[in-house]
Amino acid sequence: MKKLALIALALLLLLSSVSALAAEDKLVYGNIAYYMADDWNMHSTKAFTFAAEKNGVEVIVMDSENSIETSIACMESLIQQGVDGICLFPISGPQAATLIDMANEAGIPITIENLDISAFAPDDSYIHAVGCVYADIGYAAIEWLAKNIENPKVFYCAGAVGGGVYEFYQEGVDKALADYAGQIEIVGILNTTNWSTEDGLRLTENFINSGTEFNAIFANSDQIAIGCYQALETFGMTDIPIVSTGGSPDAYGMIEEGIEAANMTAPVSLQGVMAFKDLHEYVTEGKIAETKFSNLPVIPVGKDNMGDWIDWTDYAFAYDYVYGLQ
């Protein structure tokens, strides 16, 4: 009996040691968000975390709260914690370059989402980047308005200047305006500061009060679009169509209810999963993508093709889509 007790104790100690070793061997990735209050960023991070959990990886999410100083502190914290890899959602190209340098100096692999970072950092300093080709989305929005609205005079309630995203949108907008010259006109552009509903409301109210005639709105995000519609409600102008970008769950309901005329959807859930896959394959297999940037699909959706919608919140679908299981 005493021998059995000793054997049982030995097995218990062995199992405890194995469990402790397994816990030590568990991979831990850092995810530095630009601003988790932003729906786009939040759903991308949740998709990244979902994919990590599917692969037994722990994720430490850090929120920069749209502050460069805070983002640097987030990176310092992850370096101190000795994470195995980092995914960065940049605030701007220069900010991303700074954080990439910090990760490189610490010997921690880093991947980038939501921005083609190639103009700001050497190709060998990061694993991969995944995100929207915002110029394509901007082009698609102007093209849709030109083809679907009679003599469109557009108020462009645009995103924040300086982060790179709005600037890329503008490239596509300018190209579409040239291609559809004489068929569409942008009669005013006002830029938000935080891509927020509050900004959309305030700027649309300001534009209406300016007295400039317009008959359509291009909102640079779904959250901005909600604010634009609230302003239209206040002024009794809800017959003016709104075209937005992103494809958030809110936007799906807005199209169903006729609040939005169309949405240039880009499923951000795919972005989060793709960013995880890039990082995880490098950390576990040393695998590097053949190209340094991969873009999300742009799917224009109106009331007549709602079946083409990919829900941001369906992380399981996004995972299966990216991993080729769909």
Side-chain angles (χ1 to χ4, degrees), residues 80-97:
Q80 289 174 354
Q81 293 179 72
V83 296
D84 299 291
I86 294 171
C87 175
L88 170 65
F89 192 122
I91 296 171
S92 69
Q95 173 256 3

Side-chain angles (χ1 to χ4, degrees), residues 19 30 38 46 78 88 93-94 128 165 174 193 294 298 314-315 324:
S19 298
D38 176 78
K46 285 191 171 183
L78 291 175
L88 170 65
H128 194 229
V165 174
D174 289 342
T193 55
S294 297
V298 180
D314 193 346
Y315 310 124

